[in-house]
Amino acid sequence: MATKAGQLKTEEVVDVATETTAKISADAQKAITDAAKRIEAAVQQGLEQVRAQSRVYADVATEQLDEASRMASEQIRARPLAATGLALGVGVLIGLLLSSGRR
């Protein structure tokens, strides 16, 4: 088949198509890599924020537990018989609850 002067040869068309495909593929890979880097940075920033907030909550919880422990110790020292009676009552209640499932 004869080709006209203005027409491209089949090999030239294939070459142009291959180059275009390679360029599109490279551009897509770059875009995906850039997007992955942005996502990773956003996730890292979110994790840092969660860690910082968790530290604050943990510090507050530790302070509250220390205060509750201190108050409980003071009450036990102030009223040892009442504390013993309360512990005995709680123990009996737990024992009754646990034993009721065995019948």
Side-chain angles (χ1 to χ4, degrees), residues 29-50:
Q29 287 177 343
K30 185 179 182 307
I32 290 171
T33 301
D34 291 345
K37 287 179 183 176
R38 286 193 305 271
I39 291 169
E40 182 180 5
V43 168
Q44 288 294 335
Q45 182 181 10
L47 286 175
E48 287 301 320
Q49 289 176 349
V50 168

Side-chain angles (χ1 to χ4, degrees), residues 13-30:
V13 172
V14 170
D15 289 343
V16 170
T18 302
E19 289 175 14
T20 304
T21 303
K23 185 179 182 309
I24 291 171
S25 177
D27 290 346
Q29 287 177 343
K30 185 179 182 307

Side-chain angles (χ1 to χ4, degrees), residues 1 5-6 9 11 20 24 31 39 45 52 60 65 68 82 84 86 88 94:
M1 180 184 280
K9 293 183 182 178
E11 294 84 20
T20 304
I24 291 171
I39 291 169
Q45 182 181 10
V60 169
L65 285 173
T84 304
L86 180 63
L88 179 64
I94 290 172

